[in-house]
Amino acid sequence: MTQRKIKLLPEFLICVSIFLLIIPIRWMLCWIAAAILHELFHIIALKLCGFQILSVSLGALGAKIDTDAETGVKSILCALAGPLAGFLLLFFVRKIPMIALCGLFQSAANLLPVYPLDGGRALKEFIFLIFSAQRANKIASVIEWIAWIILFAVSIFGVLRLHLGLLPAFAVLMLFLRKKYLANGAVKRYNIPNRI
């Protein structure tokens, strides 16, 4: 039996420290609670699908779960389990409104069709079930670029027209950096073989 490990990477603590300086502690704790539930649902789904969890690492750009998961329908279910947790929190919105709101935001963001977010991972796996690898790569790439163009346009609109400050642009930039960081092989969620 493989020993399970939970790793807390140094950049996670640095990131939390920075966010504590700019975000009220109540909101930070609610965000962390929603994120923990999100990751627990991923872990529960992985276990129910019969996959082994090798390690869980917390870094500046989110959590990474290393497992022996395979590609296919089970992988899609495991990817969508985390966002499901955030939506289920809405049933408790009267009791824990701040956590429910954080869970809703996390789930909506994670369902964006951008790899390696949960929505991008599920969409990519679904496309690979239907099409050949070469065609699936092209379709996934086109969908992802369309999503990026829309995200950048919405963030610019939020900054210039809605006067939301730099927060929308910062959020999209962080998401883009996370994608580049993960795409360079620094982190692989679920350890699913990268077909691109």
Side-chain angles (χ1 to χ4, degrees):
M1 180 166 167
T2 306
Q3 180 183 4
R4 294 183 197 149
K5 297 179 184 176
I6 297 178
K7 301 173 191 169
L8 193 62
L9 302 176
E11 64 261 18
F12 175 78
L13 298 174
I14 294 168
C15 190
V16 168
S17 300
I18 291 170
F19 283 126
L20 282 173
L21 292 173
I22 58 176
I23 299 173
I25 193 159
R26 276 182 68 192
W27 279 105
M28 189 69 181
L29 292 175
C30 291
W31 185 269
I32 290 171
I36 288 170
L37 186 65
H38 177 100
E39 297 305 329
L40 281 176
F41 266 59
H42 281 308
I43 290 169
I44 290 167
L46 287 163
K47 294 305 281 178
L48 288 175
C49 288
F51 300 127
Q52 186 177 23
I53 297 165
L54 306 174
S55 69
V56 178
S57 301
L58 298 174
L61 301 173
K64 175 187 85 160
I65 301 172
D66 288 318
T67 131
D68 62 350
E70 301 168 1
T71 58
V73 175
K74 288 182 179 181
S75 175
I76 294 170
L77 295 174
C78 291
L80 295 178
L84 175 65
F87 294 127
L88 289 177
L89 281 172
L90 292 176
F91 288 111
F92 305 100
V93 72
R94 289 185 182 257
K95 298 207 182 257
I96 48 171
M98 292 171 66
I99 296 175
L101 183 63
C102 289
L104 175 64
F105 181 76
Q106 288 174 6
S107 293
N110 268 293
L111 284 177
L112 291 171
V114 175
Y115 187 82
L117 294 178
D118 297 330
R121 181 173 297 281
L123 178 66
K124 191 174 186 181
E125 291 298 326
F126 179 74
I127 292 170
F128 271 96
L129 290 175
I130 299 172
F131 298 102
S132 67
Q134 185 178 11
R135 185 168 179 143
N137 277 327
K138 288 179 183 176
I139 293 169
S141 179
V142 167
I143 291 172
E144 187 169 341
W145 276 109
I146 290 170
W148 278 117
I149 290 168
I150 291 170
L151 280 173
F152 280 115
V154 168
S155 72
I156 291 169
F157 180 79
V159 170
L160 299 177
R161 298 289 289 163
L162 299 178
H163 307 290
L164 297 175
L166 293 177
L167 184 61
F170 180 72
V172 172
L173 178 64
M174 289 301 292
L175 183 62
F176 187 74
L177 290 175
R178 179 180 185 190
K179 189 241 181 317
K180 286 299 184 189
Y181 179 71
L182 295 172
N184 288 335
V187 176
K188 288 185 181 176
R189 283 181 68 99
Y190 302 128
N191 214 16
I192 294 174
N194 191 356
R195 292 175 169 153
I196 293 178

